[in-house]
Each structure stands twice: as C-alpha cells, then as structure tokens.
C-alpha cells in the first residue's frame, strides 16, 4: 500500500494551524520541498529549514499566525487535497479552477515541475491538480 505524502503534509500543516502551533515538522522529499517552496513564496508560511535526525531529513516549517486577534480562533490556512492515488484529477490550462476569484492558489504537477495555477496559465500547460490553498 502506497503512502500519500502530499495528503500527510497537508494534514500536518492544517492540524498544526488549528492547534495554534508555531512550527510543524514534516518528512522531506522532492515533492514536499517543492510544495513548501510554493507555500513560502506565496506567503502562506513564514519560514522553512531543513533538519536531519537519525539519518532522516525533515523540513521544519514556521507557520504564519495573526497576532493580537480577538474572538474565536479562525483558521488562517485552508488546504484541500484534490487529486489522490485512487482518483487522479487532471486539467488543461484553460480549465484550471480559480479559488475565491484568484485569492487562493491551486498547486499543479506539470511536465515542467510543480507550480501554481497562475504560472501554469502563463506557460499554457495543464497537469494534475494536487491541492487548493486559500
């Protein structure tokens, strides 16, 4: 049985955000590093650093939280896995969905690597829809 590493990192980040954790540690693979670089570039997380423990590589992510907020806690980061090992979802560049009218991003796996929906539309290539982030 294969392990869905993308769903694991999305769940880890979502759970850490809901529990108001400042950092989260996820296993490091090429796919997770590329996704985390996109999250960092788009401003959804504050910082990323590599950490090695017992000959295993990990990524330590510093999550972005709003300070001095009053009232009930609302999740700052919403992540949703779209394509999964049992059901792959593909899209051409013209039909890539827009999340909240362009406020969120879609992360795609294309023939030119992992990129956001805006980059894929500019390069006019489609691919597998990995996740939505808003």
């Amino acid at each position: 049985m294969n392990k869905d590493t993308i769903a694991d990192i999305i769940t880890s980040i979502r759970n850490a955000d809901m529990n108001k954790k400042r950092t989260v540690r996820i296993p490091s693979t090429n796919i997770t590093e590329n996704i985390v670089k996109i999250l960092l570039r788009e401003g959804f997380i504050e910082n990323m650093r590599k950490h090695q423990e017992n000959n295993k590589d990990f990524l330590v992510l510093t999550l972005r939280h709003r300070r001095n907020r009053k009232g009930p806690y609302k999740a700052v980061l919403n992540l949703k896995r779209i394509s999964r090992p049992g059901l792959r979802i593909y899209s051409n560049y013209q039909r890539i969905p827009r999340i909240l009218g362009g406020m969120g991003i879609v992360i795609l796996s294309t023939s030119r690597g992992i990129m956001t929906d805006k980059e894929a539309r500019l390069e006019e290539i489609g691919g597998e829809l990995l996740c939505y982030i808003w």
Side-chain angles (χ1 to χ4, degrees):
M1 186 171 182
N2 292 336
K3 197 172 183 185
D4 190 7
T5 57
I6 299 170
D8 290 344
I9 67 163
I10 287 173
T11 303
S12 297
I13 293 171
R14 186 185 316 117
N15 289 343
D17 187 54
M18 285 192 308
N19 291 323
K20 302 179 189 176
K21 301 286 184 190
R22 185 76 176 144
T23 61
V24 62
R25 188 177 84 162
I26 58 173
S28 176
T29 63
N30 289 336
I31 294 172
T32 57
E33 283 185 34
N34 290 332
I35 291 173
V36 167
K37 285 178 186 175
I38 290 174
L39 291 175
L40 185 64
R41 187 176 65 226
E42 295 290 328
F44 289 105
I45 61 174
E46 261 184 46
N47 193 12
M48 170 194 76
R49 65 181 170 89
K50 288 188 178 183
H51 177 70
Q52 188 171 14
E53 185 176 306
N54 298 331
N55 293 329
K56 293 183 181 178
D57 292 330
F58 293 98
L59 296 174
V60 179
L61 309 178
T62 305
L63 301 179
R64 183 177 300 273
H65 290 291
R66 289 184 282 178
R67 294 183 181 95
N68 299 328
R69 72 178 137 201
K70 296 179 181 174
Y73 178 75
K74 293 184 179 175
V76 177
L77 191 60
N78 291 312
L79 300 112
K80 183 177 180 185
R81 177 81 157 117
I82 302 305
S83 185
R84 50 194 166 93
L87 179 64
R88 304 285 186 188
I89 307 292
Y90 297 94
S91 176
N92 62 10
Y93 76 94
Q94 297 160 336
R95 295 191 179 189
I96 297 172
R98 295 184 191 272
I99 306 303
L100 294 178
M103 298 293 289
I105 63 171
V106 179
I107 297 180
L108 291 98
S109 176
T110 67
S111 59
R112 297 184 192 160
I114 295 177
M115 60 179 64
T116 64
D117 56 339
K118 294 172 189 170
E119 295 168 346
R121 282 190 198 96
L122 285 176
E123 295 188 23
E124 296 185 352
I125 55 173
E128 180 183 355
L129 303 177
L130 296 179
C131 59
Y132 296 160
I133 302 166
W134 69 96

